[in-house]
Amino acid sequence: MRNIFILLPTILLLCTLGACKKNSGVEEALPVLDFRQDIPEKEVTLQDIGDVRYIRFHTSDSILLGDHMRLLPCGDKLFFYDRGGGDVLGFGKDGNSLSRFNHKGQGADEYTGIYYFAFDQEKAEVFICAPKRIQVYGMDGRYKRSLPIPDSILIDDIISLNGRFLLLSEMRNTPFIQDGELKKYAEELPDPNPYPFLLMDKETGKIEAVPVRSEGRFQNLVWTMREGKPFILVGRQQHFFPASGKYLLSQPAADTLYAISPSRELVPMFARLPLTKEKDGKIGCALMAATSRIMLVDAVFLKDEGMNQLKRQLYVYDINKKSPAVGSLVNVEFEGYNNQYPVVSDNKLYFILYPHVLLEAKENHKLSGKLLEITETLDEEDNPVLVEVELY
């Protein structure tokens, strides 16, 4: 595999065992989510699990942040980007604009689209990933350099690990699910790389593997038939979540989920047990947040249940009680609003509320407290309001 240097199994053994100094069986000491058990449902109030604040965005343009833009929180900055259109907008937590550029095009210093996005806080550099290369820009949008992506790699997610390395998730030749079984796109294709996570040097582009091995890898993609025609169900999940100075690593086939530190230390964080050993038992599982009190786990069930999307559940794991619950997130200041599946970064949850949604809720007397005060100052031409919940 060109430009990839797989670390020795001995290093993997030392890294994984170094985080567990007593007894055998790392998973026995970890929080465990057993999908074979009956897990109760629980209403979780945002105000009970974290500090809630609302962020207004100050721009000179109306409706600058539409629902086509994706949010990526990065430390004390908030980025919005348009995958197809190419716009990049950066803000501070005070809502003031810090960056705005668009370099979509075919040139050497441009990108054809924004597939994945990362930000280096130390060097204030933006990394934009397209299929063949990663383009690097300053906060002002000034082009700096390109990092070529080898043909042997198909990137599925990126994040800035530290000042030197990008952390990549790789999915070349990873099978999908059909009738509960793993299927390749073509039988002659080689097996996927058993090391799903890679490090890329931000200056040279040199790549090496993170020593977390995952056998039997699969995508969160189900191929099925509807009315005699092929039908594809995709459950998209992030693979990297900053949390308390580390980066949580999530990979669908993994039984144990790890965190990696900026110094590249690996720590086992969470174990999950599959729903069943039968055909319909595959689950894509992502650990999104981990504090001293709770963990948030996003699970996608990779089975065709006749809906237009795969079944997805958010689990809240109480660390003190060692018990999970199917979580329903509730904002006490917005009655009846669905707060599921937030954007998560650094143990903070983010929800985007658009003006027309808030104004309609105000008319229906669904709002209260600070959120009602903010909505009373809005009109439909304003930017959305961002809800930030910093978990305890």
Side-chain angles (χ1 to χ4, degrees):
M1 183 175 291
R2 181 162 57 93
N3 292 337
I4 297 180
F5 302 91
I6 302 299
L7 300 186
L8 296 175
T10 302
I11 300 176
L12 170 62
L13 184 63
L14 292 175
C15 288
T16 53
L17 294 185
C20 179
K21 298 180 180 179
K22 294 182 180 181
N23 301 323
S24 62
V26 172
E27 288 80 7
E28 292 181 1
L30 297 178
V32 176
L33 183 57
D34 187 350
F35 290 99
R36 298 170 300 184
Q37 298 179 346
D38 290 330
I39 301 175
E41 296 185 6
K42 181 180 180 181
E43 187 174 271
V44 179
T45 302
L46 297 179
Q47 284 78 1
D48 288 338
I49 63 173
D51 289 324
V52 179
R53 65 185 293 241
Y54 302 101
I55 299 173
R56 299 283 300 275
F57 295 102
H58 311 298
T59 65
S60 57
D61 303 276
S62 62
I63 310 299
L64 187 58
L65 302 175
D67 57 8
H68 58 286
M69 304 199 77
R70 297 195 175 195
L71 168 66
L72 181 69
C74 297
D76 61 352
K77 295 178 178 59
L78 301 163
F79 288 93
F80 289 84
Y81 63 95
D82 184 344
R83 294 191 70 182
D87 286 328
V88 175
L89 306 167
F91 295 87
K93 289 291 185 74
D94 57 4
N96 290 321
S97 178
L98 299 175
S99 177
R100 180 181 182 183
F101 63 87
N102 186 326
H103 295 312
K104 184 178 179 181
Q106 301 293 329
D109 59 351
E110 297 176 318
Y111 43 82
T112 56
I114 305 176
Y115 284 63
Y116 302 100
F117 186 105
F119 179 68
D120 183 334
Q121 296 187 72
E122 297 179 27
K123 299 179 180 178
E125 290 184 333
V126 172
F127 294 81
I128 293 179
C129 179
K132 297 296 184 181
R133 63 190 178 187
I134 296 175
Q135 302 286 69
V136 188
Y137 302 90
M139 277 285 291
D140 57 0
R142 180 174 55 87
Y143 170 78
K144 290 192 170 186
R145 61 190 179 278
S146 295
L147 302 172
I149 300 173
D151 292 338
S152 56
I153 291 176
L154 182 60
I155 293 178
D156 197 27
D157 204 355
I158 67 173
I159 199 169
S160 176
L161 177 66
N162 53 35
R164 182 180 175 185
F165 290 107
L166 287 173
L167 185 60
L168 315 177
S169 173
E170 198 277 328
M171 61 176 293
R172 176 70 70 188
N173 298 333
T174 305
F176 57 92
I177 310 297
Q178 182 180 359
D179 297 327
E181 301 286 352
L182 299 187
K183 297 290 184 179
K184 292 183 177 181
Y185 289 96
E187 287 302 320
E188 64 272 16
L189 289 174
D191 291 335
N193 181 3
Y195 297 92
F197 306 118
L198 307 173
L199 294 173
M200 173 183 279
D201 190 291
K202 292 178 178 178
E203 295 294 334
T204 68
K206 180 180 177 181
I207 294 174
E208 62 183 88
V210 175
V212 173
R213 189 177 179 91
S214 181
E215 302 291 352
R217 294 179 59 195
F218 52 84
Q219 298 181 45
N220 281 4
L221 186 152
V222 174
W223 189 98
T224 186
M225 299 290 291
R226 298 282 179 86
E227 299 180 353
K229 298 179 180 179
F231 195 87
I232 303 297
L233 294 163
V234 180
R236 300 195 183 279
Q237 290 178 303
Q238 287 179 243
H239 295 283
F240 308 125
F241 297 90
S244 302
K246 298 182 179 67
Y247 298 85
L248 305 174
L249 308 179
S250 293
Q251 206 281 323
D255 292 326
T256 301
L257 304 183
Y258 289 83
I260 187 171
S261 71
S263 63
R264 301 169 62 175
E265 176 190 7
L266 285 167
V267 181
M269 296 289 296
F270 195 82
R272 58 82 178 259
L273 299 179
L275 182 64
T276 174
K277 298 295 184 182
E278 303 302 324
K279 288 184 178 181
D280 59 353
K282 294 191 179 353
I283 305 169
C285 199
L287 178 57
M288 300 191 301
T291 73
S292 60
R293 294 178 53 184
I294 64 171
M295 291 184 173
L296 293 184
V297 181
D298 177 28
V300 174
F301 294 81
L302 301 176
K303 178 185 177 183
D304 181 10
E305 299 190 3
M307 300 181 293
N308 289 328
Q309 58 187 3
L310 294 170
K311 177 184 174 183
R312 191 176 179 186
Q313 294 281 9
L314 180 67
Y315 294 87
V316 179
Y317 187 94
D318 187 312
I319 293 177
N320 293 327
K321 296 180 180 178
K322 298 182 179 180
S323 62
V326 177
S328 175
L329 301 180
V330 175
N331 185 343
V332 297
E333 296 185 348
F334 195 159
E335 180 185 343
Y337 187 76
N338 182 1
N339 296 278
Q340 297 299 85
Y341 311 118
V343 176
V344 183
S345 179
D346 201 21
N347 289 337
K348 298 181 181 69
L349 317 183
Y350 294 90
F351 307 89
I352 300 174
L353 298 178
Y354 292 96
H356 69 278
V357 173
L358 289 171
L359 291 169
E360 181 180 354
K362 175 178 173 289
E363 290 299 316
N364 292 325
H365 307 288
K366 300 291 186 180
L367 302 181
S368 62
K370 183 65 176 178
L371 189 54
L372 175 59
E373 292 179 23
I374 291 174
T375 303
E376 288 174 338
T377 69
L378 291 176
D379 61 51
E380 290 194 357
E381 301 302 309
D382 282 327
N383 278 309
V385 174
L386 188 66
V387 185
E388 179 188 76
V389 184
E390 183 172 1
L391 299 176
Y392 298 134

